[in-house]
Amino acid sequence: MSRPTISDPAEMDGRVARTTVTSFRIVDALRDRDAVGVTELADELSLGKGTVHKHLNTLHEMEYVVKEKGKYRLSLGFLGLGASVRTRMPIYRVIQQPLENLAESTGEAASVLIPEHTSGIYLARVTTGNEPPAELYEGKRVPLTATAAGKAILAYLPADERDRILDESGLPKLTDNTITDRETMLEELQTIHDDRTAHDRGELEADRHCVASPITDADNTAIAAVSVSGPAERMREKSIRQDFPSILGSTATSIKNRVANEQSKRQASADPNR
């Protein structure tokens, strides 16, 4: 599966620190690897070996990279950063039980996806014993245009925000089923908005199907989406027996109400005179 990459700093404007961009290009290249050597990284990123080695040594000193037998991998320090950010999100505090209920009632993997920049990030996933190996995991970044949850989010964003995302991210083709035509995508997003249900029929992974509903705020703007996904054939069979849109709609409403309650509690605790 393709993944977003960080641009060469030479292609960026003067507002960015190029050395920082180079460090994160190296981090990005290490993300999906067990361990890699300096030469391989330098060749892949078209950087000098000395430059790569210096950045790796810095990351090692900061304990964000581990060196093992002359090769480098990311450390779990990044896990701590992400986990710390996630636990402060009101939505994360309330989704575990609804996701567990959803996974149990459908027998498929249940997930919550949130938008960040121009992509979607899996905030949480609950899998079942029926879940086959998949490339999806908590923290995984995916195109909003190639997932049911991502399309559910896009369908419930203000038009200018949706257009900005489509302009910046494009419509990358991940499988033969991925929608890559903008007008076709906009037509589908309108249907999703009308039905409050989105489908991914092999658009992210060719052999997986997914159904999703948006989680919206008081202004009916998407803050996330909840989904169930599984092997294509099994999801097709279950869609005949199970009312996925109704089940997902109820879960999305439950999460929406829980988020509102959580935010009210936090506001009350911050204002003792309220």
Side-chain angles (χ1 to χ4, degrees), residues 67 85 98 124 161 178 187 253:
K67 185 178 182 181
V85 172
E161 177 68 5
T178 308
E187 290 174 4
T253 299

Side-chain angles (χ1 to χ4, degrees), residues 180-217:
T180 57
D181 177 73
R182 185 161 178 151
E183 287 305 312
T184 302
M185 175 60 69
L186 291 175
E187 290 174 4
E188 174 149 343
L189 294 180
Q190 183 59 57
T191 299
I192 292 168
H193 190 276
D194 294 341
D195 297 341
R196 215 170 176 91
T197 304
H199 295 269
D200 157 17
R201 299 180 176 90
E203 296 163 49
L204 182 69
E205 297 180 8
D207 57 350
R208 290 181 68 85
H209 281 193
C210 182
V211 188
S213 288
I215 301 169
T216 54
D217 62 14

Side-chain angles (χ1 to χ4, degrees), residues 66-82:
V66 174
K67 185 178 182 181
E68 297 174 334
K69 299 179 180 179
K71 293 188 175 184
Y72 298 84
R73 66 167 176 82
L74 296 182
S75 79
L76 291 177
F78 288 99
L79 177 62
L81 291 177

Side-chain angles (χ1 to χ4, degrees), residues 2-13 16-32 41 44-47 55 59 74 78 116-119 141 168:
S2 62
R3 57 181 173 83
T5 56
I6 300 172
S7 301
D8 187 313
E11 300 173 0
M12 296 185 169
D13 59 33
V16 302
R18 295 191 175 189
T19 55
T20 304
V21 175
T22 298
S23 287
F24 276 96
R25 287 185 70 209
I26 291 171
V27 167
D28 192 58
L30 289 171
R31 184 172 55 183
D32 295 329
L41 271 179
E44 178 181 333
L45 299 174
S46 298
L47 295 170
H55 282 271
L59 289 165
L74 296 182
F78 288 99
E116 190 172 271
H117 298 296
T118 60
S119 301
R141 188 182 295 272
E168 293 183 15

Side-chain angles (χ1 to χ4, degrees), residues 78-92:
F78 288 99
L79 177 62
L81 291 177
S84 177
V85 172
R86 186 171 68 169
T87 56
R88 290 196 296 273
M89 293 182 171
I91 188 171
Y92 181 70

Side-chain angles (χ1 to χ4, degrees), residues 93-113:
R93 296 169 181 262
V94 301
I95 57 177
Q96 192 63 31
Q97 190 60 55
L99 279 186
E100 289 178 0
N101 293 343
L102 181 59
E104 182 178 356
S105 65
T106 62
E108 300 296 346
S111 307
V112 165
L113 187 83

